[in-house]
Amino acid sequence: MKTFLIGALMLFLMPMVNAQNPYEITEQNMPYNKMATSFTANIIGQNESNVYYQWQKFIEGHQGKTYLVSANEGNVEFESEHVLLPMLGEKSVILHSRFAPNYSENGVLLTLWIELPDGSYYSSKTDEDSAQKIKDWLLKYDQQLTNIKFKN
């Protein structure tokens, strides 16, 4: 009877432990600009230096160059110039990215903002279809890091 109760309790509590899917990209308004969107990926099981290095290689695959902007108490910020994103019509954009330890300290949070050629920031409010494509693009990067193959 004890085993049954413990098993039932574990089945009930397991979904609460893993409530957030680590392979999901969250989308938020930027705090100082409500018409701009940021995207955050929770990259599990990777050390920060590998994530930075692979990010630079990933951006180079889109014709961009990445520069370190700041490194402060676990938060590292990069700026990537001349990045050609297929989901935005191959426009040359600037990506602003911030890397920080995730909340459970078993991976890295990658937050991304997209500066458009006119100096404004990308907003999912103007094109929801491209927002999903940006999320898929970030998932592709995450999958490259973790070598996870998803079935369609």
Side-chain angles (χ1 to χ4, degrees), residues 38-92:
S38 69
F39 299 91
T40 301
N42 188 9
I43 301 167
I44 304 293
Q46 296 289 319
N47 68 42
E48 292 177 22
S49 61
N50 183 50
V51 173
Y52 308 150
Y53 175 73
Q54 294 300 328
W55 178 250
Q56 290 175 334
K57 286 178 53 178
F58 187 69
I59 295 304
E60 286 173 2
H62 295 282
Q63 311 304 314
K65 292 288 182 195
T66 301
Y67 305 97
L68 177 66
V69 174
S70 125
N72 187 12
E73 297 181 17
N75 293 327
V76 177
E77 295 185 17
F78 289 103
E79 186 173 282
S80 303
E81 296 178 336
H82 311 295
V83 181
L84 301 177
L85 295 181
M87 71 288 292
L88 297 179
E90 297 291 337
K91 293 179 187 173
S92 178

Short mmCIF file of all heavy atoms in Angstrom, two decimals, residues 38-92:
data_model
loop_
_atom_site.label_atom_id
_atom_site.label_comp_id
_atom_site.label_asym_id
_atom_site.label_seq_id
_atom_site.Cartn_x
_atom_site.Cartn_y
_atom_site.Cartn_z
N SER A 38 11.44 40.27 -27.45
CA SER A 38 12.64 39.48 -27.17
C SER A 38 12.25 38.01 -27.17
O SER A 38 11.10 37.65 -26.91
CB SER A 38 13.26 39.87 -25.83
OG SER A 38 12.43 39.46 -24.76
N PHE A 39 13.21 37.17 -27.48
CA PHE A 39 13.02 35.73 -27.50
C PHE A 39 14.06 35.11 -26.57
O PHE A 39 15.23 35.48 -26.63
CB PHE A 39 13.21 35.17 -28.91
CG PHE A 39 12.23 35.73 -29.91
CD1 PHE A 39 12.53 36.87 -30.63
CD2 PHE A 39 11.00 35.13 -30.10
CE1 PHE A 39 11.63 37.39 -31.53
CE2 PHE A 39 10.08 35.65 -31.00
CZ PHE A 39 10.40 36.78 -31.72
N THR A 40 13.63 34.16 -25.73
CA THR A 40 14.54 33.53 -24.78
C THR A 40 14.49 32.02 -24.92
O THR A 40 13.41 31.43 -24.88
CB THR A 40 14.22 33.92 -23.33
OG1 THR A 40 14.30 35.35 -23.22
CG2 THR A 40 15.19 33.29 -22.34
N ALA A 41 15.67 31.42 -25.07
CA ALA A 41 15.82 29.96 -25.14
C ALA A 41 16.50 29.50 -23.86
O ALA A 41 17.45 30.12 -23.39
CB ALA A 41 16.65 29.56 -26.35
N ASN A 42 16.01 28.40 -23.29
CA ASN A 42 16.61 27.79 -22.12
C ASN A 42 17.42 26.59 -22.61
O ASN A 42 16.87 25.54 -22.91
CB ASN A 42 15.52 27.35 -21.13
CG ASN A 42 16.08 26.88 -19.82
OD1 ASN A 42 17.26 27.02 -19.55
ND2 ASN A 42 15.23 26.31 -19.00
N ILE A 43 18.73 26.76 -22.70
CA ILE A 43 19.62 25.72 -23.24
C ILE A 43 20.13 24.89 -22.06
O ILE A 43 20.90 25.38 -21.24
CB ILE A 43 20.76 26.36 -24.03
CG1 ILE A 43 20.18 27.21 -25.17
CG2 ILE A 43 21.72 25.30 -24.54
CD1 ILE A 43 21.15 28.12 -25.84
N ILE A 44 19.68 23.65 -22.00
CA ILE A 44 19.96 22.77 -20.87
C ILE A 44 21.21 21.93 -21.13
O ILE A 44 21.43 21.44 -22.24
CB ILE A 44 18.76 21.81 -20.62
CG1 ILE A 44 17.49 22.60 -20.40
CG2 ILE A 44 19.03 20.86 -19.47
CD1 ILE A 44 17.44 23.40 -19.15
N GLY A 45 22.01 21.75 -20.08
CA GLY A 45 23.12 20.80 -20.12
C GLY A 45 24.33 21.25 -20.91
O GLY A 45 25.14 20.42 -21.31
N GLN A 46 24.48 22.53 -21.15
CA GLN A 46 25.62 23.04 -21.91
C GLN A 46 26.36 24.06 -21.05
O GLN A 46 25.75 24.86 -20.36
CB GLN A 46 25.16 23.71 -23.19
CG GLN A 46 24.49 22.79 -24.17
CD GLN A 46 25.47 21.83 -24.80
OE1 GLN A 46 26.59 22.20 -25.16
NE2 GLN A 46 25.06 20.58 -24.92
N ASN A 47 27.69 24.04 -21.15
CA ASN A 47 28.44 25.06 -20.43
C ASN A 47 28.46 26.35 -21.23
O ASN A 47 28.31 26.34 -22.44
CB ASN A 47 29.85 24.58 -20.06
CG ASN A 47 30.75 24.40 -21.26
OD1 ASN A 47 30.76 25.23 -22.16
ND2 ASN A 47 31.51 23.33 -21.28
N GLU A 48 28.64 27.44 -20.53
CA GLU A 48 28.51 28.76 -21.16
C GLU A 48 29.52 28.99 -22.27
O GLU A 48 29.17 29.51 -23.32
CB GLU A 48 28.63 29.84 -20.09
CG GLU A 48 27.47 29.86 -19.14
CD GLU A 48 27.62 30.88 -18.03
OE1 GLU A 48 28.38 31.84 -18.20
OE2 GLU A 48 26.97 30.70 -17.00
N SER A 49 30.76 28.60 -22.06
CA SER A 49 31.78 28.88 -23.08
C SER A 49 31.46 28.15 -24.38
O SER A 49 31.67 28.71 -25.46
CB SER A 49 33.18 28.52 -22.57
OG SER A 49 33.26 27.15 -22.25
N ASN A 50 30.95 26.94 -24.31
CA ASN A 50 30.56 26.23 -25.53
C ASN A 50 29.38 26.92 -26.21
O ASN A 50 29.35 27.04 -27.43
CB ASN A 50 30.22 24.77 -25.23
CG ASN A 50 29.91 23.99 -26.48
OD1 ASN A 50 30.66 24.02 -27.45
ND2 ASN A 50 28.77 23.33 -26.49
N VAL A 51 28.42 27.39 -25.43
CA VAL A 51 27.26 28.07 -25.99
C VAL A 51 27.69 29.34 -26.72
O VAL A 51 27.24 29.62 -27.83
CB VAL A 51 26.21 28.37 -24.91
CG1 VAL A 51 25.08 29.22 -25.45
CG2 VAL A 51 25.66 27.07 -24.31
N TYR A 52 28.61 30.12 -26.12
CA TYR A 52 29.10 31.35 -26.78
C TYR A 52 29.80 31.02 -28.10
O TYR A 52 29.57 31.66 -29.12
CB TYR A 52 30.11 32.11 -25.91
CG TYR A 52 29.70 32.42 -24.51
CD1 TYR A 52 30.66 32.51 -23.51
CD2 TYR A 52 28.38 32.63 -24.15
CE1 TYR A 52 30.31 32.82 -22.22
CE2 TYR A 52 28.03 32.93 -22.86
CZ TYR A 52 29.00 33.01 -21.89
OH TYR A 52 28.66 33.30 -20.60
N TYR A 53 30.70 30.05 -28.03
CA TYR A 53 31.48 29.68 -29.21
C TYR A 53 30.57 29.20 -30.33
O TYR A 53 30.71 29.62 -31.49
CB TYR A 53 32.50 28.60 -28.84
CG TYR A 53 33.27 28.06 -30.02
CD1 TYR A 53 34.25 28.84 -30.63
CD2 TYR A 53 33.00 26.79 -30.53
CE1 TYR A 53 34.95 28.36 -31.73
CE2 TYR A 53 33.70 26.31 -31.62
CZ TYR A 53 34.67 27.09 -32.22
OH TYR A 53 35.35 26.61 -33.31
N GLN A 54 29.62 28.32 -30.01
CA GLN A 54 28.71 27.79 -31.02
C GLN A 54 27.78 28.88 -31.56
O GLN A 54 27.39 28.83 -32.72
CB GLN A 54 27.90 26.61 -30.45
CG GLN A 54 28.75 25.40 -30.11
CD GLN A 54 29.49 24.82 -31.30
OE1 GLN A 54 29.01 24.89 -32.43
NE2 GLN A 54 30.66 24.26 -31.06
N TRP A 55 27.41 29.84 -30.71
CA TRP A 55 26.57 30.96 -31.16
C TRP A 55 27.31 31.76 -32.23
O TRP A 55 26.75 32.12 -33.26
CB TRP A 55 26.18 31.84 -29.98
CG TRP A 55 25.35 33.03 -30.36
CD1 TRP A 55 25.73 34.33 -30.35
CD2 TRP A 55 23.99 33.02 -30.82
NE1 TRP A 55 24.69 35.14 -30.76
CE2 TRP A 55 23.61 34.36 -31.05
CE3 TRP A 55 23.05 32.01 -31.04
CZ2 TRP A 55 22.35 34.71 -31.51
CZ3 TRP A 55 21.79 32.38 -31.49
CH2 TRP A 55 21.46 33.70 -31.71
N GLN A 56 28.59 32.05 -31.98
CA GLN A 56 29.37 32.80 -32.96
C GLN A 56 29.45 32.05 -34.28
O GLN A 56 29.30 32.64 -35.35
CB GLN A 56 30.77 33.09 -32.42
CG GLN A 56 30.75 34.10 -31.29
CD GLN A 56 32.12 34.29 -30.66
OE1 GLN A 56 32.97 33.41 -30.68
NE2 GLN A 56 32.33 35.46 -30.07
N LYS A 57 29.65 30.74 -34.23
CA LYS A 57 29.70 29.94 -35.46
C LYS A 57 28.34 29.92 -36.16
O LYS A 57 28.27 30.01 -37.39
CB LYS A 57 30.14 28.51 -35.13
CG LYS A 57 31.62 28.41 -34.82
CD LYS A 57 32.05 27.01 -34.46
CE LYS A 57 31.64 25.99 -35.48
NZ LYS A 57 32.09 24.62 -35.17
N PHE A 58 27.26 29.82 -35.38
CA PHE A 58 25.91 29.81 -35.94
C PHE A 58 25.63 31.12 -36.66
O PHE A 58 25.09 31.14 -37.77
CB PHE A 58 24.91 29.58 -34.80
CG PHE A 58 23.49 29.38 -35.22
CD1 PHE A 58 23.10 28.24 -35.91
CD2 PHE A 58 22.52 30.32 -34.90
CE1 PHE A 58 21.77 28.04 -36.29
CE2 PHE A 58 21.19 30.14 -35.27
CZ PHE A 58 20.82 28.99 -35.96
N ILE A 59 26.02 32.24 -36.06
CA ILE A 59 25.81 33.56 -36.67
C ILE A 59 26.67 33.72 -37.91
O ILE A 59 26.23 34.29 -38.91
CB ILE A 59 26.07 34.68 -35.64
CG1 ILE A 59 25.06 34.61 -34.50
CG2 ILE A 59 26.07 36.04 -36.30
CD1 ILE A 59 23.61 34.67 -34.93
N GLU A 60 27.90 33.23 -37.89
CA GLU A 60 28.76 33.28 -39.08
C GLU A 60 28.12 32.56 -40.24
O GLU A 60 28.30 32.94 -41.40
CB GLU A 60 30.14 32.70 -38.77
CG GLU A 60 30.99 33.60 -37.92
CD GLU A 60 32.29 32.95 -37.47
OE1 GLU A 60 32.57 31.78 -37.84
OE2 GLU A 60 33.04 33.60 -36.73
N GLY A 61 27.33 31.51 -39.96
CA GLY A 61 26.60 30.80 -41.01
C GLY A 61 25.52 31.65 -41.66
O GLY A 61 24.99 31.30 -42.71
N HIS A 62 25.19 32.79 -41.03
CA HIS A 62 24.22 33.74 -41.57
C HIS A 62 24.90 35.06 -41.94
O HIS A 62 24.29 36.12 -41.89
CB HIS A 62 23.10 33.99 -40.55
CG HIS A 62 22.28 32.77 -40.28
ND1 HIS A 62 21.30 32.33 -41.13
CD2 HIS A 62 22.32 31.87 -39.27
CE1 HIS A 62 20.76 31.22 -40.65
NE2 HIS A 62 21.37 30.93 -39.53
N GLN A 63 26.18 34.97 -42.28
CA GLN A 63 27.00 36.09 -42.77
C GLN A 63 27.29 37.15 -41.72
O GLN A 63 27.76 38.24 -42.05
CB GLN A 63 26.35 36.75 -44.00
CG GLN A 63 25.92 35.80 -45.08
CD GLN A 63 27.05 34.91 -45.58
OE1 GLN A 63 28.14 35.39 -45.82
NE2 GLN A 63 26.79 33.62 -45.69
N GLY A 64 27.00 36.90 -40.45
CA GLY A 64 27.20 37.91 -39.41
C GLY A 64 28.54 37.79 -38.70
O GLY A 64 29.21 36.76 -38.75
N LYS A 65 28.91 38.85 -38.03
CA LYS A 65 30.11 38.90 -37.19
C LYS A 65 29.65 39.25 -35.78
O LYS A 65 28.86 40.18 -35.58
CB LYS A 65 31.09 39.97 -37.67
CG LYS A 65 31.72 39.64 -39.00
CD LYS A 65 32.72 38.52 -38.85
CE LYS A 65 33.38 38.26 -40.19
NZ LYS A 65 34.08 37.00 -40.22
N THR A 66 30.18 38.54 -34.80
CA THR A 66 29.75 38.71 -33.41
C THR A 66 30.87 39.33 -32.59
O THR A 66 32.03 38.91 -32.69
CB THR A 66 29.34 37.34 -32.82
OG1 THR A 66 28.28 36.82 -33.60
CG2 THR A 66 28.88 37.48 -31.39
N TYR A 67 30.49 40.31 -31.75
CA TYR A 67 31.44 41.01 -30.90
C TYR A 67 30.95 40.98 -29.45
O TYR A 67 29.76 41.11 -29.19
CB TYR A 67 31.57 42.48 -31.34
CG TYR A 67 31.94 42.63 -32.78
CD1 TYR A 67 30.97 42.86 -33.75
CD2 TYR A 67 33.27 42.52 -33.19
CE1 TYR A 67 31.31 42.99 -35.09
CE2 TYR A 67 33.61 42.65 -34.53
CZ TYR A 67 32.63 42.88 -35.47
OH TYR A 67 32.97 43.00 -36.79
N LEU A 68 31.88 40.83 -28.54
CA LEU A 68 31.55 40.88 -27.11
C LEU A 68 31.28 42.33 -26.73
O LEU A 68 32.07 43.22 -27.03
CB LEU A 68 32.72 40.33 -26.29
CG LEU A 68 32.55 40.38 -24.78
CD1 LEU A 68 31.44 39.44 -24.33
CD2 LEU A 68 33.86 40.00 -24.10
N VAL A 69 30.16 42.57 -26.08
CA VAL A 69 29.78 43.91 -25.66
C VAL A 69 30.06 44.09 -24.17
O VAL A 69 30.59 45.10 -23.74
CB VAL A 69 28.29 44.20 -25.95
CG1 VAL A 69 27.85 45.54 -25.38
CG2 VAL A 69 28.04 44.15 -27.45
N SER A 70 29.69 43.06 -23.37
CA SER A 70 29.86 43.19 -21.94
C SER A 70 29.87 41.81 -21.29
O SER A 70 29.22 40.89 -21.76
CB SER A 70 28.76 44.08 -21.38
OG SER A 70 28.03 43.51 -20.36
N ALA A 71 30.62 41.70 -20.20
CA ALA A 71 30.64 40.48 -19.39
C ALA A 71 30.61 40.93 -17.94
O ALA A 71 31.56 41.54 -17.45
CB ALA A 71 31.89 39.66 -19.68
N ASN A 72 29.49 40.66 -17.26
CA ASN A 72 29.31 41.18 -15.91
C ASN A 72 28.55 40.16 -15.05
O ASN A 72 27.39 39.88 -15.31
CB ASN A 72 28.54 42.50 -15.97
CG ASN A 72 28.46 43.19 -14.64
OD1 ASN A 72 29.15 42.83 -13.70
ND2 ASN A 72 27.61 44.20 -14.56
N GLU A 73 29.20 39.61 -14.05
CA GLU A 73 28.58 38.72 -13.05
C GLU A 73 27.72 37.62 -13.68
O GLU A 73 26.56 37.42 -13.33
CB GLU A 73 27.74 39.53 -12.07
CG GLU A 73 28.56 40.50 -11.25
CD GLU A 73 27.71 41.28 -10.27
OE1 GLU A 73 26.58 40.87 -9.98
OE2 GLU A 73 28.20 42.31 -9.79
N GLY A 74 28.28 36.87 -14.62
CA GLY A 74 27.55 35.76 -15.22
C GLY A 74 26.71 36.14 -16.42
O GLY A 74 26.26 35.27 -17.16
N ASN A 75 26.46 37.42 -16.63
CA ASN A 75 25.71 37.87 -17.81
C ASN A 75 26.71 38.32 -18.87
O ASN A 75 27.54 39.19 -18.62
CB ASN A 75 24.78 39.03 -17.47
CG ASN A 75 23.66 38.60 -16.56
OD1 ASN A 75 23.18 37.48 -16.63
ND2 ASN A 75 23.25 39.50 -15.68
N VAL A 76 26.61 37.73 -20.03
CA VAL A 76 27.50 38.08 -21.14
C VAL A 76 26.63 38.54 -22.29
O VAL A 76 25.64 37.90 -22.64
CB VAL A 76 28.36 36.86 -21.55
CG1 VAL A 76 29.22 37.19 -22.75
CG2 VAL A 76 29.20 36.38 -20.38
N GLU A 77 27.00 39.69 -22.88
CA GLU A 77 26.22 40.24 -23.98
C GLU A 77 27.08 40.34 -25.23
O GLU A 77 28.24 40.73 -25.17
CB GLU A 77 25.67 41.62 -23.61
CG GLU A 77 24.68 41.54 -22.47
CD GLU A 77 24.02 42.88 -22.16
OE1 GLU A 77 24.07 43.79 -23.00
OE2 GLU A 77 23.45 42.97 -21.07
N PHE A 78 26.46 39.95 -26.35
CA PHE A 78 27.11 40.02 -27.65
C PHE A 78 26.25 40.86 -28.58
O PHE A 78 25.05 40.98 -28.40
CB PHE A 78 27.24 38.62 -28.28
CG PHE A 78 28.25 37.74 -27.62
CD1 PHE A 78 27.85 36.73 -26.76
CD2 PHE A 78 29.60 37.90 -27.88
CE1 PHE A 78 28.79 35.89 -26.16
CE2 PHE A 78 30.54 37.07 -27.28
CZ PHE A 78 30.12 36.06 -26.43
N GLU A 79 26.90 41.41 -29.59
CA GLU A 79 26.21 42.09 -30.67
C GLU A 79 26.71 41.45 -31.96
O GLU A 79 27.91 41.28 -32.15
CB GLU A 79 26.53 43.58 -30.65
CG GLU A 79 25.74 44.39 -31.64
CD GLU A 79 25.99 45.88 -31.44
OE1 GLU A 79 25.40 46.45 -30.50
OE2 GLU A 79 26.76 46.44 -32.24
N SER A 80 25.77 41.08 -32.81
CA SER A 80 26.11 40.45 -34.08
C SER A 80 25.61 41.35 -35.21
O SER A 80 24.42 41.64 -35.29
CB SER A 80 25.47 39.07 -34.19
OG SER A 80 25.85 38.26 -33.10
N GLU A 81 26.53 41.78 -36.06
CA GLU A 81 26.19 42.71 -37.14
C GLU A 81 26.10 41.99 -38.48
O GLU A 81 26.74 40.96 -38.69
CB GLU A 81 27.27 43.79 -37.25
CG GLU A 81 27.36 44.67 -36.02
CD GLU A 81 28.46 45.71 -36.14
OE1 GLU A 81 29.42 45.49 -36.91
OE2 GLU A 81 28.36 46.73 -35.45
N HIS A 82 25.32 42.57 -39.38
CA HIS A 82 25.19 42.10 -40.77
C HIS A 82 24.65 40.67 -40.86
O HIS A 82 25.05 39.91 -41.74
CB HIS A 82 26.51 42.23 -41.53
CG HIS A 82 27.15 43.56 -41.38
ND1 HIS A 82 26.58 44.72 -41.86
CD2 HIS A 82 28.30 43.94 -40.76
CE1 HIS A 82 27.36 45.75 -41.57
NE2 HIS A 82 28.40 45.30 -40.90
N VAL A 83 23.75 40.31 -39.97
CA VAL A 83 23.18 38.96 -39.96
C VAL A 83 22.01 38.93 -40.95
O VAL A 83 21.12 39.78 -40.90
CB VAL A 83 22.69 38.57 -38.55
CG1 VAL A 83 22.11 37.17 -38.54
CG2 VAL A 83 23.81 38.71 -37.53
N LEU A 84 22.03 37.96 -41.83
CA LEU A 84 20.96 37.80 -42.82
C LEU A 84 20.02 36.70 -42.33
O LEU A 84 20.38 35.53 -42.31
CB LEU A 84 21.54 37.42 -44.19
CG LEU A 84 22.54 38.41 -44.78
CD1 LEU A 84 23.09 37.90 -46.10
CD2 LEU A 84 21.90 39.78 -44.95
N LEU A 85 18.82 37.12 -41.93
CA LEU A 85 17.84 36.16 -41.41
C LEU A 85 16.83 35.83 -42.50
O LEU A 85 16.13 36.72 -43.00
CB LEU A 85 17.11 36.73 -40.19
CG LEU A 85 17.97 36.97 -38.96
CD1 LEU A 85 17.12 37.52 -37.82
CD2 LEU A 85 18.66 35.71 -38.52
N PRO A 86 16.72 34.55 -42.87
CA PRO A 86 15.78 34.17 -43.93
C PRO A 86 14.33 34.49 -43.59
O PRO A 86 13.55 34.85 -44.46
CB PRO A 86 16.00 32.67 -44.10
CG PRO A 86 16.77 32.22 -42.92
CD PRO A 86 17.44 33.42 -42.33
N MET A 87 13.96 34.40 -42.31
CA MET A 87 12.57 34.65 -41.93
C MET A 87 12.19 36.13 -41.98
O MET A 87 11.03 36.47 -41.89
CB MET A 87 12.27 34.05 -40.55
CG MET A 87 12.90 34.73 -39.37
SD MET A 87 14.68 34.53 -39.15
CE MET A 87 14.90 32.85 -38.76
N LEU A 88 13.18 37.00 -42.16
CA LEU A 88 12.91 38.44 -42.30
C LEU A 88 13.30 38.93 -43.68
O LEU A 88 13.70 40.08 -43.85
CB LEU A 88 13.67 39.22 -41.21
CG LEU A 88 13.28 38.93 -39.77
CD1 LEU A 88 14.13 39.74 -38.80
CD2 LEU A 88 11.80 39.20 -39.54
N GLY A 89 13.22 38.06 -44.67
CA GLY A 89 13.49 38.45 -46.04
C GLY A 89 14.95 38.74 -46.32
O GLY A 89 15.26 39.58 -47.16
N GLU A 90 15.85 38.06 -45.60
CA GLU A 90 17.30 38.24 -45.78
C GLU A 90 17.76 39.67 -45.54
O GLU A 90 18.77 40.10 -46.10
CB GLU A 90 17.76 37.75 -47.17
CG GLU A 90 17.55 36.28 -47.42
CD GLU A 90 18.45 35.36 -46.61
OE1 GLU A 90 19.53 35.80 -46.17
OE2 GLU A 90 18.06 34.21 -46.40
N LYS A 91 17.02 40.42 -44.70
CA LYS A 91 17.47 41.76 -44.34
C LYS A 91 18.73 41.65 -43.48
O LYS A 91 18.87 40.73 -42.69
CB LYS A 91 16.41 42.49 -43.51
CG LYS A 91 15.15 42.82 -44.25
CD LYS A 91 14.17 43.50 -43.31
CE LYS A 91 12.83 43.71 -43.96
NZ LYS A 91 11.85 44.22 -43.02
N SER A 92 19.63 42.60 -43.62
CA SER A 92 20.82 42.66 -42.78
C SER A 92 20.44 43.32 -41.46
O SER A 92 20.11 44.50 -41.42
CB SER A 92 21.92 43.45 -43.48
OG SER A 92 23.05 43.55 -42.66
#
